C-alpha cells in the first residue's frame, strides 16, 4: 500500500516535537523513529518528507501513551506552526478571509502534489476539507486528527471565541473512546468517511479576527509569498506551474498569463522555459485536469457544475466537451460506470 507522499514544513514538525516532549517523549528517540536527524530541523522553512511526519506521529502516540496525540497537537498550534500562512491568517478581517488563504498558502504546511484543501459554501452550510486519498493510499491517524483539530483550534484562537462546527468527518476508523473528539469539537463526529472535512454554519465566516490589521496584513501577504518562493525555489518550473494551477483553477484564474505573472515571468518566457523541460503549459493544464476530474467525479456530493468550476471551466458545457475528448463519454456516464 503506497505511503503518504510529498513534504511538510520543519515548522510543523517542531510543533509536534514540542507537544510530544511536554507529554514525556524524548526528542532523540522520536527523531530516530522518524528517520530524522537534529540538523534536519535547523531551518523552519525547510521541507521534511510526509512519510517521516507520519512516522513521527506514530512514535509520539506510543512514547507519550496518548492515542489521540493529533488532537493534543491541534490544540497547541500557533502562527509559527503554519509558517507564513499562520501569520497572514491572524491579520485577516474575518474567519472567511483566513480560510480563503489556505488554497493559496497551504503548500507551506503540506505539499503532496494534490489539490490540498477544498473550500465550499452554499446557503445552508460551509465545508472545509481535504480531497479523498486514492483508494490504495495509506493514511495516518495522528495526522488526520491534527489537521482537523488544528483548523478548529486555530480558528478559535484567532477569533477569540469557542466556535463549533456542525459536524466533523474523519477519514480513519472510530477509536475505542470517541469522547476526546466530541469534547474538543463540540459537535457530532463521524469516522470512516472518505475525507477529513469540517461542516459548519456559513455565519462563522463572518467572525471577526481578534488581531485584524489591514496594514500588517499586506506585509504578511508579501512575506508568505516570499516564503513560498524560497521554499519551492529548487523545484522544476513545471512542478511550480502545476502547483500554481492547483491553486488557481478553482478561482477561475488558471490562464497562462495569470500563472506567468505569479512566477514573475513573461508568458513567452514561461512557454520557452517549459519547452526546455520537454513540456508546455497546455500539456500541464490538460494533465492536471484529467487527474483531478477522476477524483472529483467519485465524490457523490460534487455536482458537475461544481467540478467544472474547480477545474477552471467557465461553463459546464465546456467541461463536458473537454471530458468527452479525454474519455470518449460524458462525465455523468463515467460517474455511473466507474464511481460507486
Amino acid at each position: 500500500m503506497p505511503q503518504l507522499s510529498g513534504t511538510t514544513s520543519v515548522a510543523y514538525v517542531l510543533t509536534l516535537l514540542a507537544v510530544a516532549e511536554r507529554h514525556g517523549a524524548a526528542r532523540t528517540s522520536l527523531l530516530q523513529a522518524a528517520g530524522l536527524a537534529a540538523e534536519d530541523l535547523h531551518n523552519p522553512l525547510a521541507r521534511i518528507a510526509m512519510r517521516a511526519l507520519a512516522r513521527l506521529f506514530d512514535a509520539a502516540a506510543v512514547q507519550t501513551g496518548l492515542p489521540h496525540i493529533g488532537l493534543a497537537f491541534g490544540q497547541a498550534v500557533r502562527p509559527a506552526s503554519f509558517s507564513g500562512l499562520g501569520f497572514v491568517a491572524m491579520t485577516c478581517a474575518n474567519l472567511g478571509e483566513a480560510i480563503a488563504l489556505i488554497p493559496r498558502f497551504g503548500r507551506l504546511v503540506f505539499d503532496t502534489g494534490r489539490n490540498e484543501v477544498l473550500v465550499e459554501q452554499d446557503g445552508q452550510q460551509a465545508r472545509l476539507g481535504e480531497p479523498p486519498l486514492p483508494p490504495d493510499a495509506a493514511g495516518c491517524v495522528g495526522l488526520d486528527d491534527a489537521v482537523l483539530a488544528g483548523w478548529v483550534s486555530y480558528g478559535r484562537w484567532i477569533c477569540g471565541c469557542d466556535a463549533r462546527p456542525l459536524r466533523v468527518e474523519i477519514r480513519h476508523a472510530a477509536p475505542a473512546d470517541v469522547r476526546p473528539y466530541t469534547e474538543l469539537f463540540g459537535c457530532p463526529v463521524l469516522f470512516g468517511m472518505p475525507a477529513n472535512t469540517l461542516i459548519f454554519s456559513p455565519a462563522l465566516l463572518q467572525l471577526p479576527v481578534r488581531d485584524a490589521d489591514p496594514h500588517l496584513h499586506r506585509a504578511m501577504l508579501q512575506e508568505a509569498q516570499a516564503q513560498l518562493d524560497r521554499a519551492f525555489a529548487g523545484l522544476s518550473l513545471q512542478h511550480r506551474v502545476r502547483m500554481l494551477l492547483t491553486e488557481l483553477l478553482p478561482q477561475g484564474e488558471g490562464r497562462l498569463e495569470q500563472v506567468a505573472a505569479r512566477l514573475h515571468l513573461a508568458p513567452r518566457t514561461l512557454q520557452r522555459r517549459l519547452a526546455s523541460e520537454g513540456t508546455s503549459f497546455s500539456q500541464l493544464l490538460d494533465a492536471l485536469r484529467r487527474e483531478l476530474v477522476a477524483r472529483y467525479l467519485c465524490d457523490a456530493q460534487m455536482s458537475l457544475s461544481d467540478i467544472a468550476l474547480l477545474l477552471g471551466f467557465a461553463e459546464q458545457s465546456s467541461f463536458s466537451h473537454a471530458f468527452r475528448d479525454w474519455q470518449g463519454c460524458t462525465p455523468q456516464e463515467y460517474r455511473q460506470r466507474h464511481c460507486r
Side-chain angles (χ1 to χ4, degrees), residues 120-122 124-128 166 198-202 205:
E120 303 171 335
Q121 178 184 355
D122 57 32
Q124 302 298 320
Q125 62 184 26
R127 300 171 64 88
L128 173 63
L166 299 173
L198 299 179
I199 296 91
F200 54 96
S201 168
L205 297 172

Side-chain angles (χ1 to χ4, degrees), residues 75 77-79 86 90 151-162 209-211:
Q75 295 174 80
V77 295
R78 289 298 180 265
M90 68 180 291
W151 284 344
V152 170
S153 299
Y154 194 67
R156 289 170 175 169
W157 187 79
I158 64 174
C159 293
C161 66
D162 186 30
V209 172
R210 181 179 50 194
D211 296 318

Side-chain angles (χ1 to χ4, degrees), residues 8-18 21 27-28 30-32 34-49 52-53 56:
T8 186
S9 70
V10 165
Y12 198 81
V13 173
L14 291 174
T15 301
L16 174 55
L17 289 172
E21 287 179 305
R27 176 174 293 217
T28 302
L30 287 172
L31 293 179
Q32 184 177 12
L36 298 172
E39 52 266 30
D40 295 331
L41 308 179
H42 290 167
N43 179 7
L45 290 182
R47 312 298 297 178
I48 297 295
L53 177 63
L56 194 59

